[in-house]
Amino acid sequence: MASAPESGTAQIQIRFTTKQEQYAVPDLPFAVPAGINSNELNVLLNELLREGRSDIKASVDFDFLVRGEFLRQPLNELLEERNVSFEDVIDVEYVEQHPTPEPMDCLMHDDWVSAVQVRHGWILTGCYDNTLHIWSKTGTHHLTIPGHSGPVKAVAWVSLTSTVGSFVSVSHDQTAMLWKWNIEDNSVDCIHVCRGHERSLECVSVNNNSTLMATGGWDTLLKIWTTSMWDTSSTTSQSSGDLEETEIKRAKLDSSSKSHIKTPIMTLKGHKEAISSVVWTDNQELATSSWDHTLRLWDAELGGIKSEIAGNKSFFDMSHSSLNRTVITASADRHIRLYDLRSTEGSLVKSTFTSHSQWVQSVMWSKTDEHLFISGAHDSQVLLWDSRSPKAPLFNLEGHEDKVMCVDWSNSRYMVSGGADKTVRIFKSRHAPSKTGSEEVKEEL
């Protein structure tokens, strides 16, 4: 019979549980040293598996959950923190450890990379030299796109097929631009210049059905626009941006082409300082974060604020999970905080994640796992977290040599980040769900 490793004299009763049936062991309580840690639990559990399962030969690395939190310290210390009686039988849930993400390409740019988003197999980036770039997932550079007259602060894909794509970019030049990309001849046209903001823009988000987009910035206003490329109510204006021939491919903007001025369909007021992030929580609801220390939930159909949460620091970024319905925030300190915008009970901050040593600039939830998210900070680190492990991240995705300005996990297979070192770093997730046939096709677009 498996025996517990020696880790102290006091004993405690535990019972192993798991939702991963392939690793199930008998549901029986037994005594272990009270100070047992996760490494010792791993040894014990693997011994139990080998005793009861002839099909498991190699050791498996597990993480252990006690009262919903990963065990990152001796068990007795966690129980004392949670005021759990040592007389109780403690349920210890185990899950297979997340595999180490695989470093892939480093995409070199000419200036700070302040915006990035992945759609299928394409990577869209924005820089402080006012340009946009399109890359393949394999690191091949396809286009440099001029047009803005100020640093690009955020980008978002609107739609993408095998022949045509559309996307939006926002800039310190106070405009958002809607672009159409002809993939077959690798040319881009600016279809609409969205005007209405009176100061620099910081963020943009497209709703789930790609019909609306929202922008925010330093004029404190949240504006909603249609994403339609055929908005006949817009006025016509000559496309901005001078083109120069260089050795790299430039966007083929026809000098005779014209873009249209688009105006917002709704303007929402409420924030007192810059809006740093906007996300659609559904097709008619928005959440925003701001330098005014608040998070707000908005009704995009009726117009107006639905709820507000006040923090004690400026918020730099926010990400909403459609899987767990919570948001994580990046703030003017080294902490990441998890909020439930709809909660009316208990503490406003549901969890705090601390490992960064400087300001956290960007955060993003996984689209496929309700517990996982990534963060990027001024300490040059990109960290992969599990929300059940607030004391320590799962992995440090190393590579950046200066502050991290943006992160993206829109494609479940690729964790992507950009920074002041003028690079985009790509890590491949080995934990991503298996792709269907249609997803394989999209990946190759």
Side-chain angles (χ1 to χ4, degrees):
M1 176 67 183
S3 59
E6 290 301 323
S7 184
T9 55
Q11 300 284 301
I12 194 168
Q13 294 277 320
I14 70 167
R15 177 170 47 227
F16 282 125
T17 67
T18 187
K19 295 173 181 155
Q20 297 176 293
E21 293 299 325
Q22 69 272 32
Y23 297 126
V25 296
D27 182 19
L28 299 171
F30 54 93
V32 298
I36 196 168
N37 59 37
S38 58
N39 289 334
E40 294 165 334
L41 284 171
N42 248 314
V43 173
L44 174 59
L45 181 56
N46 272 282
E47 191 173 340
L48 288 169
L49 283 170
R50 283 192 294 270
E51 284 183 355
R53 302 280 297 276
S54 60
D55 57 325
I56 297 179
K57 305 296 184 184
S59 292
V60 182
D61 291 326
F62 294 99
D63 274 320
F64 299 90
L65 285 155
V66 179
R67 298 296 173 100
E69 183 177 326
F70 276 138
L71 185 64
R72 303 299 191 206
Q73 64 205 97
L75 178 58
N76 57 343
E77 293 182 12
L78 177 61
L79 297 180
E80 288 170 0
E81 286 181 6
R82 296 296 191 91
N83 294 316
V84 178
S85 170
F86 282 40
E87 302 300 319
D88 296 339
V89 175
I90 308 301
D91 284 330
V92 177
E93 182 181 352
Y94 55 97
V95 296
E96 189 175 5
Q97 281 187 5
H98 192 287
T100 306
E102 175 187 355
M104 296 182 66
D105 293 289
C106 173
L107 311 182
M108 302 299 298
H109 293 68
D110 293 329
D111 209 335
W112 290 7
V113 182
S114 44
V116 63
Q117 193 178 76
V118 183
R119 173 71 71 93
H120 307 324
W122 296 107
I123 302 170
L124 177 64
T125 61
C127 295
Y128 260 66
D129 63 4
N130 311 344
T131 62
L132 298 162
H133 299 263
I134 296 177
W135 307 76
S136 72
K137 64 173 184 177
T138 57
T140 302
H141 185 255
H142 282 255
L143 277 175
T144 298
I145 307 169
H148 282 292
S149 59
V152 177
K153 291 307 300 288
V155 295
W157 289 99
V158 177
S159 64
L160 186 61
T161 69
S162 60
T163 58
V164 66
S166 62
F167 52 89
V168 58
S169 57
V170 302
S171 167
H172 278 183
D173 65 12
Q174 304 180 15
T175 69
M177 289 185 173
L178 267 171
W179 305 84
K180 181 180 178 182
W181 175 33
N182 187 315
I183 299 174
E184 292 180 333
D185 64 14
N186 200 30
S187 64
V188 165
D189 288 300
C190 178
I191 305 301
H192 292 289
V193 178
C194 304
R195 297 189 182 276
H197 284 284
E198 298 176 356
R199 294 185 67 185
S200 300
L201 295 184
E202 287 289 317
C203 55
V204 64
S205 180
V206 177
N207 69 351
N208 293 333
N209 60 17
S210 298
T211 57
L212 298 172
M213 63 182 188
T215 57
W218 285 93
D219 62 2
T220 75
L221 301 176
L222 176 63
K223 292 183 180 288
I224 300 174
W225 322 68
T226 68
T227 59
S228 171
M229 293 292 180
W230 322 113
D231 190 348
T232 55
S233 64
S234 301
T235 58
T236 302
S237 170
Q238 187 69 34
S239 178
S240 63
D242 296 327
L243 295 178
E244 295 179 4
E245 291 297 328
T246 66
E247 294 180 353
I248 59 176
K249 293 180 181 178
R250 287 285 188 178
K252 301 173 186 174
L253 289 173
D254 187 343
S255 61
S256 64
S257 70
K258 296 180 182 295
S259 57
H260 293 81
I261 301 299
K262 185 187 281 284
T263 54
I265 60 173
M266 184 180 292
T267 297
L268 299 171
K269 301 179 181 180
H271 282 296
K272 297 178 175 61
E273 293 188 45
I275 297 174
S276 56
S277 179
V278 56
V279 293
W280 292 86
T281 57
D282 61 35
N283 283 322
Q284 293 296 335
E285 186 181 77
L286 292 145
T288 54
S289 65
S290 171
W291 282 58
D292 66 10
H293 301 191
T294 67
L295 305 173
R296 294 176 188 246
L297 201 61
W298 305 80
D299 188 322
E301 187 173 20
L302 301 177
I305 300 170
K306 298 175 73 172
S307 64
E308 175 184 326
I309 288 179
N312 58 3
K313 297 286 183 180
S314 292
F315 292 108
F316 294 156
D317 195 20
M318 171 183 60
S319 178
H320 173 266
S321 171
S322 59
L323 301 177
N324 61 37
R325 305 291 289 170
T326 65
V327 299
I328 45 173
T329 62
S331 298
D333 58 17
R334 61 194 185 93
H335 306 295
I336 300 159
R337 295 174 176 86
L338 186 150
Y339 295 87
D340 183 349
L341 297 181
R342 294 168 176 78
S343 174
T344 58
E345 299 178 356
S347 172
L348 294 178
V349 180
K350 303 304 180 184
S351 295
T352 302
F353 306 88
T354 304
S355 183
H356 286 292
S357 59
Q358 296 183 39
W359 285 7
V360 183
Q361 186 65 40
S362 187
V363 289
M364 190 165 189
W365 280 109
S366 164
K367 300 290 188 183
T368 55
D369 190 310
E370 65 176 325
H371 300 297
L372 299 180
F373 64 90
I374 55 175
S375 63
H378 285 199
D379 59 9
S380 307
Q381 292 188 331
V382 177
L383 302 180
L384 171 60
W385 296 85
D386 189 299
S387 60
R388 299 164 295 184
S389 178
K391 294 183 175 67
L394 299 182
F395 298 103
N396 182 353
L397 310 183
E398 297 179 344
H400 283 290
E401 298 176 354
D402 204 338
K403 60 187 176 185
V404 178
M405 304 182 71
C406 53
V407 298
D408 182 71
W409 203 355
S410 299
N411 183 323
S412 62
R413 298 183 66 81
Y414 302 105
M415 292 167 275
V416 182
S417 57
D421 59 1
K422 306 178 184 179
T423 70
V424 165
R425 303 278 174 171
I426 305 172
F427 279 79
K428 187 174 183 180
S429 173
R430 300 174 181 173
H431 189 61
S434 299
K435 293 181 289 186
T436 65
S438 61
E439 289 172 330
E440 289 280 7
V441 172
K442 288 179 180 179
E443 188 82 357
E444 296 303 322
L445 289 178

